[in-house]
Amino acid sequence: MSLLKVVIIALFIFVFFSLFQALRIMQKGNSEQPMSQFLGRRLLVSIVIFLLILIAIGLGLITPNQRPY
């Protein structure tokens, strides 16, 4: 498994962790940290993942599926 794939998987795990942190804050109600902070991190990391995948496809490090069906 290449290092790029490990990094992408680690970033996906961070996205899910941040999503569940926001859920916990939402269920508590009053908190010192705003829920938007965790959702903003999730959005930023998702954009980074998307850009990494596009760059990797452009450089030929990852080959997309030729037949998606």
Side-chain angles (χ1 to χ4, degrees):
M1 188 181 267
S2 70
L3 180 64
L4 180 66
K5 290 180 185 178
V6 172
V7 168
I8 290 174
I9 290 171
L11 288 173
F12 270 124
I13 291 170
F14 179 76
V15 165
F16 286 121
F17 180 71
S18 181
L19 181 64
F20 284 112
Q21 279 182 325
L23 176 68
R24 186 179 48 122
I25 296 286
M26 183 177 69
Q27 287 182 345
K28 272 187 182 179
N30 292 342
S31 178
E32 61 276 351
Q33 290 180 317
M35 184 175 59
S36 62
Q37 177 184 2
F38 295 111
L39 294 177
R41 278 190 214 153
R42 179 179 165 253
L43 179 66
L44 180 65
V45 172
S46 297
I47 291 170
V48 168
I49 290 171
F50 183 71
L51 291 176
L52 275 175
I53 291 173
L54 285 180
I55 290 169
I57 289 173
L59 293 175
L61 299 173
I62 297 175
T63 55
N65 188 5
Q66 297 298 320
R67 298 179 67 181
Y69 52 88

